[in-house]
Amino acid sequence: AQSVAQPEDQVNVAEGNPLTVKCTYSVSGNPYLFWYVQYPNRGLQFLLKYITGDNLVKGSYGFEAEFNKSQTSFHLKKPSALVSDSALYFCAVRPRNSGYSTLTFGKGTMLLVSP
Amino acid sequence: ETGVTQTPRHLVMGMTNKKSLKCEQHLGHNAMYWYKQSAKKPLELMFVYSLEERVENNSVPSRFSPECPNSSHLFLHLHTLQPEDSALYLCASSQGSGRDQNTGELFFGEGSRLTVL
């Protein structure tokens, strides 16, 4: 069975500073990996995904994530945080041959960016 | 403007009521999903429909009954719910129905906030 761990319930960072939201996963074989963001009272929005190729994936709103196979991690990063980045972030994983896009999500990490 | 529309956005119901949640996707996708989001818990996949056939049912109680009349519409019928069923119910859709045709990107609606009294 696949699983996703987001070890931090909350990450606090000052505006302008770099941010990292951590994610590790457990899945058999090579996974597809995703980050989603959820703003208050909204649904989840897709940020970026790793399929294959370059381990550094660039996504929406200046976010990027680095796939590390040996550490089974897919941490979300941004060089300079904005107050508007404050939201709930979800990491998700799907085995490559599972079909029907049955993603397994982590429990989410709340990112708070202070002015 | 999301391509997946959910109604109602908020619903309050008693334990003996019958209500339905509706989801409509305008993206031409052929797979649709219901997820349950409770506070401080991971998202729980409830049902998956691919090409209008139910392909996954994750041990969801029978008081939740899904219906997918066509590839654009998905319903979740609710009856005799419990207070612990109070949550945000999210609908999503994706493109492709076969193995590896779909790399997994889900498009979510805004959710229906359900409160069971």
Side-chain angles (χ1 to χ4, degrees):
Chain A
Q2 65 230 39
S3 64
V4 177
Q6 293 181 243
E8 303 150 317
D9 288 339
Q10 185 168 306
V11 170
N12 297 299
V13 64
E15 188 173 33
N17 284 357
L19 70 86
T20 299
V21 182
K22 296 179 180 178
C23 171
T24 58
Y25 65 89
S26 173
V27 67
S28 58
N30 294 319
Y32 295 137
L33 295 159
F34 306 84
W35 277 100
Y36 285 80
V37 60
Q38 185 177 32
Y39 297 100
N41 300 313
R42 306 292 296 275
L44 276 69
Q45 296 178 33
F46 169 79
L47 268 183
L48 52 80
K49 63 184 176 184
Y50 172 80
I51 304 299
T52 188
D54 193 348
N55 289 344
L56 185 63
V57 178
K58 295 187 182 298
S60 306
Y61 313 120
F63 283 93
E64 57 189 27
E66 185 168 11
F67 171 60
N68 187 316
K69 186 174 182 178
S70 63
Q71 297 185 5
T72 61
S73 67
F74 190 56
H75 300 330
L76 182 70
K77 301 181 179 183
K78 187 174 182 180
S80 179
L82 300 173
V83 172
S84 58
D85 293 329
S86 298
L88 186 59
Y89 290 81
F90 291 93
C91 182
V93 64
R94 172 185 169 236
R96 202 161 281 264
N97 293 318
S98 64
Y100 305 119
S101 186
T102 51
L103 298 183
T104 297
F105 287 86
K107 60 179 175 58
T109 298
M110 179 63 71
L111 173 66
L112 293 177
V113 182
S114 55
Chain B
E1 179 69 29
T2 177
V4 180
T5 304
Q6 289 188 243
T7 54
R9 292 294 310 278
H10 299 273
L11 177 63
V12 179
M13 59 187 291
M15 294 169 60
T16 58
N17 291 158
K18 289 185 179 181
K19 298 286 184 182
S20 296
L21 306 181
K22 179 183 176 182
C23 176
E24 182 175 2
Q25 59 97 359
H26 314 276
L27 301 169
H29 292 166
N30 52 20
M32 297 186 75
Y33 311 76
W34 280 116
Y35 281 87
K36 177 183 178 182
Q37 185 178 24
S38 304
K40 301 189 185 302
K41 287 186 177 181
L43 269 73
E44 302 172 48
L45 178 64
M46 300 176 72
F47 301 104
V48 181
Y49 277 83
S50 177
L51 297 172
E52 303 154 39
E53 291 188 17
R54 189 189 308 180
V55 296
E56 189 152 338
N57 174 357
N58 281 357
S59 302
V60 179
S62 59
R63 56 185 183 270
F64 295 92
S65 174
E67 179 189 2
C68 187
N70 54 62
S71 62
S72 298
H73 293 85
L74 184 65
F75 295 89
L76 188 63
H77 303 300
L78 316 169
H79 63 98
T80 60
L81 294 191
Q82 305 297 313
E84 60 264 29
D85 296 324
S86 299
L88 182 67
Y89 289 85
L90 292 165
C91 175
S93 69
S94 67
Q95 179 63 27
S97 60
R99 289 173 179 268
D100 276 354
Q101 290 182 28
N102 175 7
T103 54
E105 182 178 343
L106 297 178
F107 292 79
F108 284 86
E110 303 283 32
S112 294
R113 174 71 63 187
L114 173 66
T115 302
V116 181
L117 302 177

